[in-house]
Amino acid sequence: MTFKRTISERELRAAYSPSLAEMDWAREMTDSDETRLSLMVWLKCCQRLGRFPRLAEIPAQVIEHVRNEPGLPEQVGMTDVAERTGRNHKTLVRSRLGLDGDQAAARKLAEQAIRQAAKTKDHPADLINVALGDLATNSCEFPAFSTLDDLASQMRAEANGAIFTLAYGRMSFDDHARLLAMLKVDPATGRSGHDRAKKSAPRATVTKLRLHPRPSRTVCRNAPCWRS
């Protein structure tokens, strides 16, 4: 979804090296070194990320690696490629990869996937991964990471809110009063019941376990007797 801060030479070769077929395809589709570089960079970035990043996001080492693979001159860059040409290149890449570029449809699919997953998952990364899986299965171009992150936060808040509302509705008036009392700060200790509830349990030891009363043993007369 996003570029790594540091990309190793191994990853550059594995993920960003155009194949001979891809280089031939780019040569057929373009009429200059600059446009050929642009098309190949968009192709490799989309293959790796599942989306088209902003030009400013693309690490210089990725552009340099893609430029060196077919032996293009060092002075060839992407900044001189017209914006309209860049949009045409992305259309060509989508066609080659079989990607659906409808971002509204992709967002709707991601929202549905995250809303369903939020019923059983809580970590935002897990929710985003579920959405990415559904998007990949349906050959959708991925939305920006910020879009998926916002959706995960929104759906997570909705799911948790529904759980909290359900639990609160099942509590008695006395339970509500006890919850509110946990927010009151004890003048003597300067702490509230909520503070004590958040305190991590100490390390379990035999001595501490002996301080707790042992539960009474209940004998079930109808249960079978097992012998070792």
Side-chain angles (χ1 to χ4, degrees):
M1 277 296 297
T2 58
F3 291 103
K4 295 180 180 178
R5 291 185 178 180
T6 303
I7 303 176
S8 66
E9 286 295 327
R10 181 177 181 180
E11 183 179 355
L12 282 172
R13 291 192 299 271
Y16 298 102
S17 295
S19 66
L20 291 177
E22 290 170 343
M23 286 189 280
D24 289 341
W25 168 76
R27 188 179 298 108
E28 292 174 2
M29 295 295 173
T30 56
D31 56 6
S32 68
D33 289 344
E34 285 78 14
T35 54
R36 180 151 50 119
L37 173 63
S38 172
L39 183 56
M40 287 192 297
V41 167
W42 290 128
L43 173 65
K44 302 313 293 184
C45 288
C46 190
Q47 284 177 332
R48 185 60 170 172
L49 304 181
R51 66 179 180 88
F52 295 104
R54 292 180 293 105
L55 181 57
E57 291 181 59
I58 304 176
Q61 62 182 139
V62 169
I63 297 177
E64 181 181 356
H65 178 79
V66 175
R67 182 181 62 222
N68 291 341
E69 285 296 292
L72 295 176
E74 292 184 4
Q75 65 270 23
V76 173
M78 294 179 60
T79 55
D80 294 333
V81 176
E83 183 178 347
R84 181 178 178 180
T85 302
R87 290 197 299 268
N88 291 337
H89 288 170
K90 293 173 185 178
T91 300
L92 290 172
V93 170
R94 291 188 186 99
S95 178
R96 182 176 178 85
L97 300 181
L99 282 181
D100 183 353
D102 188 341
Q103 286 296 286
R107 190 184 188 284
K108 183 177 180 180
L109 180 63
E111 182 176 336
Q112 293 172 346
I114 293 175
R115 177 177 281 111
Q116 182 63 30
K119 296 178 181 179
T120 56
K121 302 179 184 294
D122 187 62
H123 199 284
D126 293 335
L127 300 177
I128 291 174
N129 284 335
V130 168
L132 292 176
D134 275 23
L135 290 168
T137 299
N138 289 276
S139 299
C140 293
E141 181 183 330
F142 293 168
F145 177 80
S146 58
T147 299
L148 295 177
D149 192 38
D150 290 342
L151 284 175
S153 298
Q154 180 183 344
M155 298 301 104
R156 181 170 174 263
E158 288 183 7
N160 289 341
I163 294 172
F164 299 155
T165 300
L166 178 63
Y168 190 80
R170 291 180 176 180
M171 295 169 63
S172 66
F173 179 82
D174 291 339
D175 293 331
H176 295 166
R178 281 195 292 272
L179 277 179
L180 291 174
M182 291 182 67
L183 301 177
K184 295 181 179 179
V185 177
D186 186 341
T189 62
R191 301 190 63 189
S192 65
H194 183 244
D195 289 333
R196 292 191 294 273
K198 292 192 301 179
K199 184 179 179 181
S200 300
R203 185 170 61 89
T205 62
V206 174
T207 301
K208 291 174 181 176
L209 289 175
R210 287 173 177 168
L211 297 176
H212 294 273
R214 299 179 63 182
S216 59
R217 301 180 62 183
T218 302
V219 178
C220 180
R221 298 183 182 279
N222 295 327
C225 178
W226 299 95
R227 294 183 179 179
S228 57

